[in-house]
Amino acid sequence: GRVLRSLDDSGEVQVAAVLEEFLASGSADVDSDGNVDCTSFVAWAFDDKPCKPRLAYGDGDEYRALSVKFLSTKMLEELKVKKSEKVYDIEPRIREAGEHVICPRSREERKLGAAYVDVAKDEYAGRATCMLSYTWGYEVHCIVDALQ
């Protein structure tokens, strides 16, 4: 939620910044004395996005690779990839999938924002044996079809 997105580099919530955003949103219930209704603030601050960071499924191996089986089935379903969508079209959904996940390559710093390869639940994932080069302008289905 908004509270999680307000974490500073030390991992502490910047409540004043969240409250300021709440007041500016127009969602605030403020009485004549300037008091904010706590119930509406909490409901707004903890919106429908996940609030608790979790660890990634991958172990942080920089060579972790998703299986072609996963890419051609679950990834296309999870990210709701339409036939003509290009990589840059689905990029926001890819980022969203890992935005509340602690990056496994930064466990000591516990930084939020993991790569899709780290958050994907692929039981056949393993170490990459080759590298696929593509541009963001390619259609996702075309890339997956080429891999199959």
Side-chain angles (χ1 to χ4, degrees), residues 61-76:
D61 185 339
E62 63 184 324
Y63 295 107
R64 183 173 198 252
L66 300 176
S67 67
V68 173
K69 179 179 176 100
F70 178 86
L71 295 173
S72 63
T73 57
K74 291 190 183 205
M75 182 197 75
L76 296 175

Side-chain angles (χ1 to χ4, degrees), residues 76 80-87 89-90 93 138-145 148:
L76 296 175
K80 298 177 177 71
V81 181
K82 295 180 187 119
K83 196 71 172 161
S84 63
E85 283 188 300
K86 297 179 176 9
V87 175
D89 295 322
I90 69 165
R93 288 173 275 181
Y138 285 3
E139 290 181 0
V140 177
H141 279 271
C142 183
I143 296 169
V144 171
D145 289 346
Q148 290 178 322

Side-chain angles (χ1 to χ4, degrees), residues 6-14 109-110:
S6 74
L7 293 175
D8 66 12
D9 290 339
S10 69
E12 297 199 13
V13 174
Q14 299 302 301
E109 298 91 16
R110 297 185 58 81

Side-chain angles (χ1 to χ4, degrees), residues 48-121:
D48 63 348
K49 300 213 176 185
C51 291
K52 184 178 180 188
R54 65 173 176 82
L55 294 176
Y57 297 109
D59 60 3
D61 185 339
E62 63 184 324
Y63 295 107
R64 183 173 198 252
L66 300 176
S67 67
V68 173
K69 179 179 176 100
F70 178 86
L71 295 173
S72 63
T73 57
K74 291 190 183 205
M75 182 197 75
L76 296 175
E77 292 168 16
E78 286 177 7
L79 298 177
K80 298 177 177 71
V81 181
K82 295 180 187 119
K83 196 71 172 161
S84 63
E85 283 188 300
K86 297 179 176 9
V87 175
Y88 57 73
D89 295 322
I90 69 165
E91 185 269 340
R93 288 173 275 181
I94 291 171
R95 284 191 190 275
E96 189 176 290
E99 86 178 314
H100 298 291
V101 180
I102 297 168
C103 177
R105 281 170 293 291
S106 73
R107 282 208 173 117
E108 287 180 25
E109 298 91 16
R110 297 185 58 81
K111 291 185 179 179
L112 290 178
Y116 187 72
V117 71
D118 295 317
V119 299
K121 285 185 174 180

Side-chain angles (χ1 to χ4, degrees), residues 122-139:
D122 181 359
E123 64 182 297
Y124 301 107
R127 282 196 111 207
T129 56
C130 58
M131 186 231 163
L132 170 68
S133 179
Y134 62 90
T135 73
W136 283 37
Y138 285 3
E139 290 181 0

